[in-house]
C-alpha cells in the first residue's frame, strides 16, 4: 500500500477493497457510497465459481472488509455495508469487465448491429464474442471497443 498515500481517498478506496477481495478469490466489479443520514457502502463482487457466491462467502467478505471501512474517518462506525453480486442483467461499465466476465453470455449493441454471445475477452481493444448460429455452428465476432454503445450480461 505504499503508493496509496499519494492518491485521494476516492481513488485509493477501490484499490484497497480490490486487494482485500482478491485475497478471498473475489473481484470488485463496482463500488457505490451513499452519504447522508445513513451511510451505505455497496460492493458488487464477482467470483467465477458461482458456488462461492453464497451467503457464507459473502458474510466472510463482510468480516474482512468492515474493519477496514470502520477505520475511515469519513464513514466512521455508523454505516451499512452491502455486498452482492453484480446481477445477471448487469450493464457492463468498464472495459476490464469483459475479461472479468469471460465465458458469460452478454448482449452487445453497436451503432449498426446488436449481438448476443459468449464473451471471450478483450485483446488489442477488440472484444471477441462467440455467437452460436441457428444451425448450431459458432463464429467469433470481433468488435472494436470504440464501436460498442452498450453491453450487458444476459
Amino acid at each position: 500500500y505504499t503508493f496509496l498515500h499519494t492518491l485521494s481517498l476516492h481513488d485509493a478506496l477501490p484499490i484497497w477493497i480490490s486487494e482485500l477481495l482478491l485475497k478471498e478469490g473475489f473481484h470488485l466489479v463496482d463500488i457505490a457510497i451513499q452519504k447522508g443520514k445513513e451511510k451505505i457502502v455497496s460492493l458488487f463482487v464477482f467470483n467465477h465459481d458461482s458456488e462461492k457466491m453464497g451467503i457464507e462467502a459473502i458474510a466472510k467478505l463482510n468480516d474482512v472488509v468492515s474493519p477496514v471501512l470502520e477505520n475511515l474517518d469519513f464513514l466512521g462506525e455508523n454505516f451499512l455495508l452491502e455486498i452482492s453480486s453484480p446481477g445477471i442483467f448487469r450493464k457492463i461499465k468498464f472495459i476490464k469487465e469483459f475479461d472479468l466476465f469471460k465465458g458469460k453470455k452478454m448482449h452487445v449493441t453497436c451503432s449498426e448491429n446488436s449481438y448476443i454471445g459468449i464473451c471471450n475477452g478483450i485483446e488489442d481493444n477488440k472484444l471477441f464474442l462467440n455467437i452460436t448460429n441457428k444451425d448450431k455452428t459458432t463464429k467469433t465476432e470481433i468488435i472494436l471497443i470504440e464501436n460498442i454503445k452498450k453491453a450487458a450480461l444476459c
Side-chain angles (χ1 to χ4, degrees):
Y1 299 116
T2 54
F3 75 94
L4 293 177
H5 72 280
T6 62
L7 299 176
S8 71
L9 183 59
H10 179 268
D11 294 330
L13 186 59
I15 295 170
W16 287 333
I17 292 173
S18 288
E19 289 181 1
L20 289 171
L21 295 175
L22 281 172
K23 290 178 184 174
E24 302 299 322
F26 287 81
H27 298 275
L28 178 65
V29 175
D30 205 359
I31 182 171
I33 300 175
Q34 178 182 326
K35 296 179 184 176
K37 188 175 181 181
E38 185 175 32
K39 296 174 199 139
I40 302 172
V41 178
S42 300
L43 304 180
F44 300 95
V45 301
F46 179 75
N47 188 307
H48 286 282
D49 183 352
S50 59
E51 291 182 20
K52 292 186 179 175
M53 289 297 295
I55 293 171
E56 291 173 10
I58 299 299
K60 182 179 179 189
L61 291 180
N62 187 70
D63 293 342
V64 169
V65 174
S66 282
V68 173
L69 296 179
E70 287 171 0
N71 289 321
L72 300 176
D73 291 336
F74 83 99
L75 284 176
E77 293 182 13
N78 297 322
F79 67 91
L80 176 64
L81 176 60
E82 297 176 341
I83 301 176
S84 67
S85 76
I88 58 172
F89 300 111
R90 179 186 179 6
K91 291 181 180 172
I92 305 297
K93 294 182 180 181
F94 309 104
I95 291 174
K96 71 174 185 163
E97 291 182 74
F98 288 111
D99 280 330
L100 186 62
F101 294 122
K102 193 183 270 188
K104 300 292 182 187
K105 188 175 182 180
M106 61 178 52
H107 182 237
V108 178
T109 303
C110 299
S111 49
E112 296 184 18
N113 295 312
S114 187
Y115 308 95
I116 295 177
I118 305 299
C119 178
N120 205 20
I122 295 281
E123 189 176 311
D124 298 324
N125 280 333
K126 296 174 190 156
L127 170 65
F128 292 80
L129 196 65
N130 294 335
I131 299 170
T132 302
N133 298 315
K134 291 178 184 175
D135 65 358
K136 304 284 187 219
T137 60
T138 302
K139 76 171 193 170
T140 300
E141 193 69 42
I142 301 171
I143 306 166
L144 293 173
I145 291 298
E146 63 260 20
N147 292 340
I148 297 174
K149 301 297 179 206
K150 64 181 179 177
L153 296 176
C154 58

